[in-house]
Amino acid sequence: MHESIQEMTTFDPWTGTERRIQSRALGRTLRRMETAGLVDRFEERAFPRSVVYSLTAAARDLLARARPLIDWAEEHHDLIERVQKSPDEGASPDDDQPD
């Protein structure tokens, strides 16, 4: 599982950098998500031992509600990049408008 997650998340489009997820960090995050009630953990009692995680109903609901925002951000990634690279970080969009 760790390898497949790394393959899917090696490039961060927001920062333009390569990102590697470390096993320890993944394990900590999954434990926190389990404690928060976002994932269920099922340990299979077979050899070799394996653990399966699945989203809870609450996490599926959260994802469904966040999907429109995620879609918007993906559709407007060029706008987000411009804002992130803007030299006028403190300026508001109205600062350029004449009164």
Side-chain angles (χ1 to χ4, degrees):
M1 179 172 115
H2 183 248
E3 291 82 14
S4 63
I5 290 174
Q6 274 195 318
E7 289 173 13
M8 293 185 312
T9 60
T10 56
F11 181 73
D12 181 354
W14 300 102
T15 62
T17 59
E18 292 283 326
R19 298 280 173 125
R20 296 274 180 208
I21 297 175
Q22 301 299 318
S23 296
R24 187 172 174 196
L26 177 60
R28 277 194 316 253
T29 300
L30 287 168
R31 280 192 296 281
R32 282 190 214 129
M33 291 176 71
E34 182 183 13
T35 300
L38 296 172
V39 296
D40 287 324
R41 181 180 189 274
F42 177 73
E43 187 172 338
E44 295 180 352
R45 304 266 183 219
F47 186 81
R49 184 178 76 99
S50 66
V51 177
V52 176
Y53 289 91
S54 61
L55 295 178
T56 63
R60 288 190 303 274
D61 181 51
L62 175 62
L63 184 58
R65 293 170 188 255
R67 188 80 250 171
L69 179 60
I70 295 166
D71 293 342
W72 181 91
E74 288 174 348
E75 185 177 327
H76 295 90
H77 71 282
D78 56 330
L79 171 67
I80 294 168
E81 282 181 10
R82 280 198 310 272
V83 169
Q84 288 177 335
K85 293 178 183 177
S86 173
D88 298 329
E89 291 181 22
S92 71
D94 295 334
D95 289 348
D96 295 337
Q97 303 296 326
D99 290 327

XYZ file of all heavy atoms in Angstrom:
802
model
N 0.822 -1.191 0.000
C 0.000 0.000 0.000
C 0.864 1.252 0.000
O 0.578 2.204 -0.707
C -0.915 -0.004 1.225
C -1.788 1.223 1.292
S -3.004 1.126 2.593
C -2.436 2.441 3.630
N 1.908 1.246 0.812
C 2.771 2.415 0.903
C 3.353 2.783 -0.456
O 3.391 3.954 -0.823
C 3.883 2.165 1.928
C 4.775 3.336 2.124
N 6.080 3.325 1.738
C 4.546 4.563 2.643
C 6.625 4.488 2.010
N 5.716 5.255 2.570
N 3.775 1.792 -1.213
C 4.354 2.056 -2.533
C 3.327 2.696 -3.469
O 3.643 3.620 -4.215
C 4.901 0.764 -3.163
C 6.127 0.212 -2.467
C 5.780 -0.611 -1.227
O 4.598 -0.987 -1.045
O 6.687 -0.858 -0.425
N 2.100 2.200 -3.437
C 1.084 2.767 -4.323
C 0.736 4.195 -3.922
O 0.482 5.043 -4.785
C -0.173 1.896 -4.352
O -0.772 1.832 -3.074
N 0.755 4.498 -2.628
C 0.498 5.876 -2.187
C 1.631 6.777 -2.643
O 1.398 7.883 -3.128
C 0.308 5.932 -0.658
C -1.014 5.273 -0.291
C 0.355 7.374 -0.157
C -1.251 5.136 1.185
N 2.868 6.317 -2.523
C 3.999 7.123 -2.983
C 3.905 7.401 -4.471
O 4.175 8.508 -4.907
C 5.322 6.427 -2.676
C 5.823 6.711 -1.304
C 7.269 6.327 -1.167
O 7.694 5.293 -1.655
N 8.018 7.153 -0.492
N 3.525 6.411 -5.261
C 3.414 6.610 -6.697
C 2.361 7.659 -7.037
O 2.527 8.439 -7.961
C 3.073 5.294 -7.390
C 4.212 4.307 -7.409
C 3.796 2.953 -7.940
O 2.694 2.843 -8.520
O 4.568 2.005 -7.765
N 1.284 7.692 -6.287
C 0.208 8.640 -6.555
C 0.521 10.038 -6.044
O -0.067 11.004 -6.503
C -1.094 8.174 -5.901
C -1.661 6.921 -6.509
S -3.267 6.443 -5.853
C -3.054 6.532 -4.101
N 1.435 10.188 -5.109
C 1.646 11.480 -4.473
C 3.087 11.963 -4.533
O 3.507 12.714 -3.681
C 1.195 11.424 -3.006
O 1.962 10.433 -2.333
C -0.276 11.119 -2.867
N 3.835 11.568 -5.536
C 5.232 11.982 -5.573
C 5.404 13.430 -6.026
O 6.381 14.064 -5.687
C 6.065 11.082 -6.490
O 5.482 11.064 -7.779
C 6.159 9.680 -5.935
N 4.438 13.990 -6.765
C 4.567 15.367 -7.229
C 3.488 16.220 -6.594
O 2.307 15.917 -6.681
C 4.439 15.441 -8.757
C 4.598 16.836 -9.284
C 5.833 17.437 -9.308
C 3.506 17.545 -9.728
C 5.988 18.727 -9.783
C 3.635 18.838 -10.212
C 4.886 19.427 -10.239
N 3.892 17.302 -5.929
C 2.953 18.227 -5.293
C 2.733 19.396 -6.252
O 3.614 20.242 -6.413
C 3.523 18.721 -3.972
C 2.598 19.663 -3.244
O 1.555 20.044 -3.801
O 2.911 20.023 -2.094
N 1.556 19.466 -6.903
C 1.325 20.532 -7.877
C 1.254 21.915 -7.246
O 1.464 22.917 -7.922
C -0.019 20.152 -8.518
C -0.686 19.295 -7.518
C 0.400 18.582 -6.774
N 0.974 21.994 -5.969
C 0.873 23.303 -5.312
C 2.245 23.937 -5.130
O 2.388 25.150 -5.276
C 0.182 23.163 -3.961
C -1.186 22.607 -4.097
C -1.571 21.315 -3.850
C -2.356 23.273 -4.565
N -2.895 21.149 -4.118
C -3.407 22.348 -4.556
C -2.621 24.566 -4.988
C -4.694 22.675 -4.948
C -3.918 24.883 -5.368
C -4.926 23.954 -5.347
N 3.243 23.136 -4.809
C 4.580 23.685 -4.579
C 5.538 23.375 -5.715
O 6.612 23.951 -5.785
C 5.182 23.128 -3.275
O 5.321 21.711 -3.397
C 4.318 23.464 -2.081
N 5.157 22.449 -6.590
C 6.030 22.066 -7.690
C 7.201 21.210 -7.248
O 8.213 21.145 -7.934
N 7.077 20.542 -6.117
C 8.178 19.737 -5.607
C 7.803 18.264 -5.553
O 6.634 17.903 -5.546
C 8.577 20.182 -4.180
O 7.444 20.045 -3.319
C 9.063 21.614 -4.167
N 8.828 17.434 -5.523
C 8.637 15.993 -5.347
C 8.440 15.727 -3.858
O 9.163 16.255 -3.029
C 9.863 15.233 -5.833
C 10.082 15.300 -7.322
C 9.155 14.382 -8.098
O 8.830 13.302 -7.581
O 8.765 14.755 -9.210
N 7.442 14.931 -3.546
C 7.147 14.596 -2.155
C 7.137 13.090 -1.987
O 6.522 12.389 -2.764
C 5.772 15.141 -1.745
C 5.632 16.628 -1.809
C 6.247 17.247 -0.574
N 6.262 18.681 -0.687
C 5.736 19.493 0.202
N 5.158 19.012 1.268
N 5.819 20.784 0.029
N 7.814 12.610 -0.973
C 7.811 11.194 -0.632
C 7.147 11.032 0.725
O 7.467 11.747 1.663
C 9.230 10.644 -0.554
C 9.969 10.687 -1.855
C 9.656 9.467 -2.647
N 10.377 9.512 -3.915
C 9.956 8.940 -4.994
N 8.843 8.258 -4.984
N 10.630 9.021 -6.096
N 6.233 10.109 0.831
C 5.580 9.828 2.101
C 6.367 8.725 2.795
O 6.542 7.644 2.249
C 4.120 9.393 1.892
C 3.325 10.526 1.251
C 3.496 8.980 3.224
C 1.911 10.143 0.894
N 6.827 9.018 3.991
C 7.590 8.045 4.756
C 6.629 7.099 5.472
O 5.534 7.490 5.885
C 8.478 8.758 5.779
C 9.465 9.726 5.150
C 10.438 9.039 4.207
O 10.946 7.961 4.508
N 10.683 9.641 3.054
N 7.028 5.850 5.626
C 6.187 4.839 6.280
C 5.749 5.270 7.666
O 4.589 5.094 8.053
C 6.928 3.511 6.385
O 7.198 2.998 5.118
N 6.650 5.837 8.426
C 6.332 6.262 9.797
C 5.269 7.355 9.800
O 4.332 7.336 10.594
C 7.608 6.739 10.481
C 7.441 7.039 11.931
C 8.783 7.304 12.563
N 8.565 7.727 13.926
C 9.461 8.316 14.649
N 10.667 8.539 14.161
N 9.196 8.677 15.871
N 5.417 8.322 8.902
C 4.444 9.411 8.817
C 3.083 8.886 8.368
O 2.046 9.323 8.873
C 4.935 10.495 7.865
N 3.088 7.960 7.428
C 1.833 7.363 6.966
C 1.141 6.631 8.113
O -0.058 6.793 8.332
C 2.089 6.414 5.796
C 0.869 5.671 5.255
C -0.191 6.635 4.749
C 1.304 4.706 4.156
N 1.891 5.861 8.876
C 1.329 5.131 10.010
C 0.744 6.060 11.056
O -0.359 5.826 11.568
N 1.470 7.141 11.391
C 0.958 8.117 12.365
C -0.321 8.765 11.870
O -1.285 8.939 12.620
C 2.007 9.203 12.623
C 3.056 8.830 13.628
C 3.843 10.048 14.083
N 4.223 10.914 12.988
C 5.454 11.029 12.499
N 6.427 10.322 12.997
N 5.705 11.854 11.507
N -0.350 9.132 10.598
C -1.533 9.779 10.033
C -2.727 8.841 10.048
O -3.834 9.237 10.416
C -1.243 10.262 8.594
O -0.152 11.197 8.646
C -2.452 10.937 7.982
N -2.518 7.591 9.672
C -3.615 6.625 9.693
C -4.138 6.391 11.110
O -5.349 6.279 11.328
C -3.187 5.311 9.044
C -3.055 5.356 7.525
C -2.351 4.116 7.005
C -4.412 5.530 6.869
N -3.234 6.347 12.101
C -3.675 6.187 13.488
C -4.503 7.389 13.939
O -5.525 7.246 14.605
C -2.476 5.986 14.427
C -1.950 4.559 14.412
C -0.968 4.305 15.533
N 0.254 5.089 15.449
C 1.286 4.801 14.650
N 1.245 3.747 13.866
N 2.351 5.562 14.645
N -4.066 8.597 13.578
C -4.835 9.797 13.932
C -6.202 9.786 13.259
O -7.199 10.164 13.871
C -4.078 11.057 13.512
C -2.971 11.423 14.445
C -2.417 12.799 14.108
N -1.019 12.804 14.367
C -0.070 13.205 13.531
N -0.379 13.678 12.356
N 1.183 13.156 13.864
N -6.233 9.372 11.999
C -7.505 9.317 11.282
C -8.430 8.266 11.894
O -9.640 8.465 11.972
C -7.262 9.043 9.796
C -6.596 10.201 9.081
S -6.202 9.840 7.369
C -7.847 9.821 6.662
N -7.849 7.162 12.361
C -8.653 6.132 13.023
C -9.218 6.670 14.337
O -10.419 6.512 14.625
C -7.808 4.883 13.276
C -8.574 3.759 13.924
C -7.705 2.557 14.244
O -6.457 2.656 14.190
O -8.284 1.508 14.573
N -8.382 7.341 15.121
C -8.825 7.924 16.385
C -9.917 8.967 16.158
O -10.864 9.066 16.929
C -7.631 8.573 17.122
O -6.652 7.559 17.373
C -8.056 9.196 18.430
N -9.799 9.717 15.069
C -10.783 10.758 14.753
C -12.072 10.195 14.168
O -13.040 10.925 14.003
C -10.170 11.759 13.768
N -12.074 8.911 13.850
C -13.274 8.302 13.299
C -13.410 8.457 11.798
O -14.509 8.345 11.253
N -12.291 8.686 11.107
C -12.329 8.855 9.656
C -11.991 7.582 8.891
O -12.390 7.441 7.739
C -11.386 9.980 9.226
C -11.774 11.368 9.740
C -10.684 12.375 9.418
C -13.103 11.799 9.158
N -11.237 6.674 9.527
C -10.928 5.398 8.883
C -11.156 4.260 9.866
O -11.051 4.429 11.078
C -9.470 5.313 8.345
C -9.211 6.318 7.250
C -8.458 5.431 9.445
N -11.505 3.119 9.311
C -11.601 1.886 10.079
C -10.376 1.042 9.747
O -9.949 0.991 8.589
C -12.868 1.105 9.720
C -14.124 1.747 10.268
O -14.080 2.296 11.385
O -15.151 1.695 9.576
N -9.821 0.387 10.763
C -8.640 -0.461 10.581
C -9.055 -1.908 10.806
O -9.684 -2.230 11.811
C -7.578 -0.064 11.595
C -6.293 -0.835 11.514
C -5.338 -0.318 12.595
N -4.027 -0.873 12.446
C -3.621 -2.032 12.952
N -4.462 -2.770 13.649
N -2.386 -2.447 12.766
N -8.697 -2.751 9.867
C -8.989 -4.178 9.983
C -7.700 -4.944 9.764
O -7.070 -4.833 8.707
C -10.039 -4.608 8.952
C -10.317 -6.076 8.975
C -11.046 -6.655 10.009
C -9.824 -6.902 7.975
C -11.284 -8.015 10.038
C -10.059 -8.264 7.989
C -10.794 -8.821 9.025
N -7.283 -5.685 10.780
C -6.057 -6.482 10.689
C -6.423 -7.898 10.308
O -7.175 -8.571 11.019
C -5.318 -6.460 12.021
C -3.965 -7.117 11.952
C -3.167 -6.914 13.227
O -3.439 -5.967 13.973
O -2.276 -7.733 13.461
N -5.909 -8.343 9.168
C -6.171 -9.705 8.714
C -5.228 -10.655 9.425
O -4.023 -10.437 9.453
C -6.012 -9.787 7.194
C -7.045 -8.955 6.463
C -6.900 -9.038 4.943
O -5.922 -9.621 4.457
O -7.783 -8.497 4.274
N -5.765 -11.705 9.995
C -4.982 -12.670 10.777
C -4.447 -13.780 9.879
O -4.656 -14.944 10.109
C -5.855 -13.273 11.877
C -6.482 -12.271 12.775
C -5.609 -12.073 13.975
N -6.271 -11.143 14.895
C -5.622 -10.234 15.571
N -4.319 -10.131 15.462
N -6.258 -9.430 16.379
N -3.754 -13.420 8.872
C -3.174 -14.384 7.932
C -1.680 -14.140 7.863
O -1.166 -13.181 8.422
C -3.813 -14.217 6.557
N -1.002 -15.007 7.179
C 0.423 -14.807 6.963
C 0.656 -14.555 5.486
O 0.161 -15.305 4.664
C 1.232 -16.037 7.413
C 2.701 -15.788 7.332
C 3.341 -15.101 8.332
C 3.423 -16.215 6.229
C 4.702 -14.849 8.248
C 4.782 -15.962 6.139
C 5.423 -15.276 7.164
N 1.340 -13.533 5.094
C 1.884 -12.494 5.968
C 0.782 -11.572 6.482
O -0.242 -11.382 5.827
C 2.843 -11.736 5.065
C 2.321 -11.946 3.687
C 1.665 -13.297 3.690
N 1.023 -11.006 7.634
C 0.048 -10.125 8.267
C -0.201 -8.922 7.371
O 0.717 -8.366 6.771
C 0.578 -9.651 9.613
C -0.390 -8.798 10.396
C 0.206 -8.412 11.721
N 1.189 -7.360 11.568
C 0.945 -6.073 11.783
N -0.242 -5.688 12.168
N 1.887 -5.180 11.625
N -1.455 -8.521 7.274
C -1.770 -7.310 6.513
C -2.861 -6.540 7.227
O -3.640 -7.096 7.993
C -2.192 -7.657 5.088
O -3.404 -8.354 5.099
N -2.873 -5.259 6.981
C -3.849 -4.364 7.584
C -4.574 -3.655 6.456
O -3.959 -3.204 5.491
C -3.169 -3.337 8.510
C -4.178 -2.362 9.089
C -2.417 -4.045 9.625
N -5.898 -3.577 6.578
C -6.718 -2.913 5.572
C -7.406 -1.732 6.239
O -7.983 -1.866 7.321
C -7.774 -3.883 4.993
C -8.690 -3.169 4.028
C -7.093 -5.068 4.320
N -7.321 -0.579 5.591
C -8.004 0.619 6.069
C -9.122 0.947 5.104
O -8.981 0.787 3.893
C -7.041 1.810 6.142
C -6.021 1.689 7.247
C -4.791 1.094 7.021
C -6.297 2.180 8.517
C -3.860 0.989 8.031
C -5.361 2.074 9.537
C -4.149 1.484 9.280
O -3.228 1.376 10.289
N -10.232 1.442 5.646
C -11.331 1.895 4.797
C -11.920 3.162 5.395
O -11.816 3.399 6.605
C -12.395 0.807 4.670
O -12.927 0.505 5.937
N -12.524 3.966 4.545
C -13.143 5.198 5.013
C -14.423 4.888 5.778
O -15.184 3.996 5.402
C -13.488 6.109 3.833
C -12.319 6.660 3.030
C -12.833 7.503 1.872
C -11.388 7.467 3.904
N -14.661 5.639 6.841
C -15.921 5.510 7.578
C -16.998 6.294 6.832
O -16.712 7.059 5.894
C -15.782 6.079 9.004
O -15.489 7.474 8.908
C -14.713 5.356 9.795
N -18.232 6.130 7.267
C -19.337 6.878 6.654
C -19.110 8.381 6.795
O -19.374 9.154 5.866
C -20.661 6.464 7.296
N -18.597 8.810 7.945
C -18.334 10.238 8.156
C -17.280 10.749 7.173
O -17.405 11.852 6.625
C -17.874 10.486 9.593
N -16.227 9.967 6.931
C -15.179 10.378 5.991
C -15.712 10.418 4.562
O -15.368 11.326 3.794
C -13.989 9.435 6.084
N -16.545 9.452 4.198
C -17.137 9.474 2.853
C -18.023 10.696 2.676
O -18.012 11.344 1.623
C -17.914 8.186 2.595
C -17.012 6.972 2.383
C -17.772 5.748 1.886
N -18.859 5.337 2.775
C -18.724 4.537 3.827
N -17.527 4.050 4.131
N -19.766 4.199 4.564
N -18.773 11.068 3.717
C -19.617 12.261 3.665
C -18.752 13.517 3.530
O -19.048 14.406 2.724
C -20.495 12.339 4.918
C -21.400 13.541 4.919
O -22.109 13.764 3.911
O -21.421 14.274 5.929
N -17.676 13.590 4.317
C -16.757 14.734 4.241
C -16.163 14.858 2.849
O -16.116 15.951 2.268
C -15.645 14.583 5.284
C -14.532 15.631 5.251
C -15.084 17.023 5.513
C -13.455 15.275 6.264
N -15.721 13.754 2.284
C -15.135 13.765 0.951
C -16.154 14.217 -0.092
O -15.842 15.017 -0.974
C -14.584 12.383 0.600
C -13.859 12.264 -0.737
C -12.685 13.226 -0.823
C -13.399 10.836 -0.945
N -17.381 13.738 0.017
C -18.430 14.133 -0.927
C -18.693 15.636 -0.844
O -18.899 16.296 -1.867
C -19.708 13.356 -0.656
N -18.668 16.182 0.358
C -18.917 17.619 0.531
C -17.722 18.463 0.096
O -17.887 19.594 -0.361
C -19.285 17.919 1.977
C -20.627 17.327 2.364
C -20.854 17.442 3.864
N -22.029 16.720 4.270
C -23.189 17.301 4.588
N -23.313 18.600 4.524
N -24.210 16.574 4.959
N -16.508 17.929 0.237
C -15.302 18.668 -0.145
C -15.022 18.577 -1.641
O -14.291 19.390 -2.193
C -14.101 18.142 0.635
N -15.596 17.587 -2.316
C -15.319 17.352 -3.737
C -15.524 18.588 -4.610
O -14.675 18.881 -5.457
C -16.184 16.188 -4.232
C -15.856 15.715 -5.626
C -14.646 14.815 -5.625
N -13.533 15.497 -6.250
C -12.291 15.072 -6.271
N -11.970 13.964 -5.681
N -11.341 15.729 -6.861
N -16.604 19.376 -4.440
C -16.742 20.579 -5.277
C -15.588 21.571 -5.096
O -15.120 22.170 -6.070
C -18.069 21.192 -4.822
C -18.842 20.047 -4.275
C -17.810 19.150 -3.645
N -15.099 21.730 -3.866
C -13.969 22.622 -3.628
C -12.695 22.067 -4.266
O -11.922 22.814 -4.885
C -13.764 22.819 -2.125
C -12.596 23.714 -1.713
C -12.764 25.115 -2.287
C -12.473 23.755 -0.205
N -12.485 20.779 -4.148
C -11.319 20.142 -4.766
C -11.375 20.299 -6.282
O -10.377 20.660 -6.917
C -11.249 18.652 -4.370
C -11.003 18.507 -2.862
C -10.177 17.918 -5.169
C -11.248 17.110 -2.329
N -12.551 20.065 -6.861
C -12.716 20.222 -8.308
C -12.438 21.655 -8.741
O -11.782 21.895 -9.755
C -14.124 19.802 -8.745
C -14.375 18.316 -8.584
O -13.395 17.545 -8.468
O -15.563 17.926 -8.558
N -12.923 22.636 -7.967
C -12.692 24.036 -8.299
C -11.190 24.338 -8.267
O -10.664 24.980 -9.181
C -13.429 24.955 -7.315
C -13.232 26.397 -7.651
C -14.006 27.172 -8.451
C -12.146 27.238 -7.213
N -13.475 28.437 -8.540
C -12.332 28.500 -7.787
C -11.038 27.039 -6.398
C -11.464 29.570 -7.571
C -10.158 28.089 -6.192
C -10.377 29.340 -6.772
N -10.513 23.884 -7.223
C -9.075 24.145 -7.091
C -8.298 23.516 -8.236
O -7.358 24.122 -8.766
C -8.571 23.621 -5.741
N -8.675 22.306 -8.655
C -7.991 21.661 -9.774
C -8.269 22.405 -11.081
O -7.382 22.550 -11.921
C -8.425 20.203 -9.884
C -7.862 19.349 -8.768
C -8.387 17.926 -8.765
O -9.368 17.628 -9.479
O -7.817 17.097 -8.026
N -9.484 22.903 -11.252
C -9.842 23.631 -12.470
C -9.152 24.996 -12.546
O -8.857 25.483 -13.634
C -11.363 23.826 -12.501
C -11.875 24.454 -13.780
C -13.387 24.553 -13.790
O -14.055 23.669 -13.219
O -13.892 25.519 -14.367
N -8.872 25.593 -11.397
C -8.278 26.931 -11.354
C -6.864 26.917 -10.787
O -6.439 27.878 -10.157
C -9.167 27.861 -10.523
C -10.512 28.090 -11.134
N -11.592 27.281 -10.862
C -10.942 29.003 -12.035
C -12.634 27.700 -11.547
N -12.274 28.730 -12.278
N -6.121 25.826 -11.057
C -4.767 25.740 -10.502
C -3.868 26.867 -10.986
O -2.994 27.319 -10.271
C -4.138 24.375 -10.781
C -3.769 24.160 -12.211
N -4.706 23.840 -13.158
C -2.583 24.248 -12.848
C -4.104 23.742 -14.342
N -2.823 23.972 -14.178
N -4.108 27.387 -12.205
C -3.300 28.498 -12.704
C -3.519 29.750 -11.857
O -2.566 30.471 -11.553
C -3.589 28.770 -14.176
C -5.063 29.043 -14.454
O -5.934 28.499 -13.730
O -5.353 29.802 -15.399
N -4.735 30.015 -11.444
C -5.036 31.152 -10.574
C -4.355 30.979 -9.221
O -3.730 31.912 -8.704
C -6.548 31.278 -10.381
C -7.023 32.277 -9.330
C -6.687 33.701 -9.769
C -8.502 32.135 -9.103
N -4.428 29.796 -8.673
C -3.807 29.524 -7.379
C -2.295 29.696 -7.476
O -1.666 30.281 -6.589
C -4.199 28.118 -6.877
C -5.704 28.080 -6.589
C -3.401 27.727 -5.639
C -6.268 26.699 -6.372
N -1.682 29.229 -8.566
C -0.240 29.399 -8.757
C 0.137 30.867 -8.814
O 1.125 31.286 -8.225
C 0.215 28.703 -10.040
C 0.342 27.222 -9.916
C 0.819 26.579 -11.216
O 1.237 27.302 -12.145
O 0.776 25.350 -11.296
N -0.659 31.666 -9.541
C -0.369 33.107 -9.635
C -0.449 33.763 -8.266
O 0.393 34.591 -7.924
C -1.345 33.798 -10.591
C -0.993 33.613 -12.045
C -1.690 34.634 -12.942
N -3.119 34.744 -12.705
C -4.059 34.003 -13.304
N -3.695 33.091 -14.179
N -5.326 34.188 -13.041
N -1.442 33.410 -7.487
C -1.589 33.995 -6.156
C -0.419 33.600 -5.267
O 0.119 34.421 -4.533
C -2.934 33.575 -5.520
C -2.985 33.951 -4.055
C -4.092 34.200 -6.278
N 0.004 32.331 -5.351
C 1.120 31.874 -4.532
C 2.424 32.549 -4.914
O 3.276 32.778 -4.068
C 1.274 30.359 -4.647
C 0.184 29.600 -3.934
C 0.310 28.094 -4.105
O 0.889 27.616 -5.081
N -0.237 27.351 -3.170
N 2.600 32.890 -6.179
C 3.845 33.503 -6.658
C 3.791 35.018 -6.633
O 4.777 35.667 -6.931
C 4.144 33.027 -8.077
C 4.467 31.558 -8.143
C 4.699 31.117 -9.562
C 4.950 29.621 -9.609
N 5.118 29.131 -10.973
N 2.656 35.600 -6.275
C 2.470 37.050 -6.301
C 3.442 37.741 -5.351
O 3.553 37.379 -4.186
C 1.035 37.392 -5.914
O 0.890 38.779 -5.788
N 4.148 38.786 -5.839
C 5.068 39.514 -4.961
C 4.336 40.392 -3.954
O 4.869 40.730 -2.918
C 5.890 40.366 -5.924
C 5.035 40.504 -7.133
C 4.196 39.262 -7.199
N 3.100 40.757 -4.238
C 2.313 41.617 -3.349
C 1.435 40.767 -2.443
O 0.218 40.801 -2.536
C 1.435 42.579 -4.154
C 2.263 43.506 -5.015
O 3.380 43.840 -4.607
O 1.777 43.883 -6.080
N 2.059 40.030 -1.547
C 1.302 39.106 -0.703
C 0.292 39.812 0.178
O -0.751 39.284 0.481
C 2.249 38.273 0.152
C 3.054 37.295 -0.673
C 3.981 36.455 0.173
O 3.722 36.321 1.381
O 4.952 35.940 -0.371
N 0.573 41.047 0.580
C -0.334 41.754 1.474
C -1.402 42.549 0.756
O -2.319 43.065 1.368
N -1.309 42.669 -0.545
C -2.257 43.484 -1.289
C -3.550 42.742 -1.513
O -3.559 41.559 -1.762
C -1.653 43.889 -2.627
N -4.646 43.465 -1.426
C -5.937 42.847 -1.703
C -6.293 43.102 -3.168
O -5.758 44.013 -3.784
C -7.024 43.426 -0.787
O -7.304 44.738 -1.155
N -7.211 42.312 -3.752
C -7.587 42.495 -5.153
C -8.140 43.881 -5.427
O -8.010 44.404 -6.520
C -8.653 41.435 -5.396
C -8.456 40.406 -4.333
C -7.869 41.155 -3.166
N -8.739 44.539 -4.440
C -9.318 45.860 -4.640
C -8.268 46.961 -4.677
O -8.552 48.088 -5.078
C -10.331 46.175 -3.537
C -11.537 45.253 -3.594
O -11.832 44.738 -4.696
O -12.166 45.031 -2.549
N -7.024 46.662 -4.259
C -5.973 47.684 -4.233
C -5.660 48.206 -5.623
O -5.223 49.349 -5.774
C -4.680 47.142 -3.603
C -4.823 46.924 -2.093
O -5.821 47.409 -1.518
O -3.954 46.262 -1.521
N -5.862 47.393 -6.664
C -5.553 47.807 -8.020
C -6.698 48.568 -8.675
O -6.544 49.119 -9.749
C -5.220 46.588 -8.897
C -3.949 45.905 -8.432
O -3.126 46.568 -7.774
O -3.793 44.704 -8.738
N -7.864 48.629 -8.030
C -9.035 49.256 -8.609
C -9.062 50.740 -8.263
O -8.845 51.123 -7.117
C -10.321 48.588 -8.085
C -10.379 47.105 -8.336
C -10.416 46.775 -9.821
O -10.992 47.512 -10.597
N -9.756 45.703 -10.200
N -9.335 51.594 -9.258
C -9.458 53.015 -8.960
C -10.752 53.284 -8.185
O -11.735 52.565 -8.338
C -9.512 53.683 -10.340
C -9.905 52.594 -11.284
C -9.477 51.298 -10.657
N -10.725 54.303 -7.335
C -11.925 54.651 -6.553
C -12.956 55.387 -7.345
O -12.872 55.939 -8.309
C -11.543 55.501 -5.338
C -10.778 54.661 -4.314
O -11.071 53.457 -4.200
O -9.886 55.213 -3.681
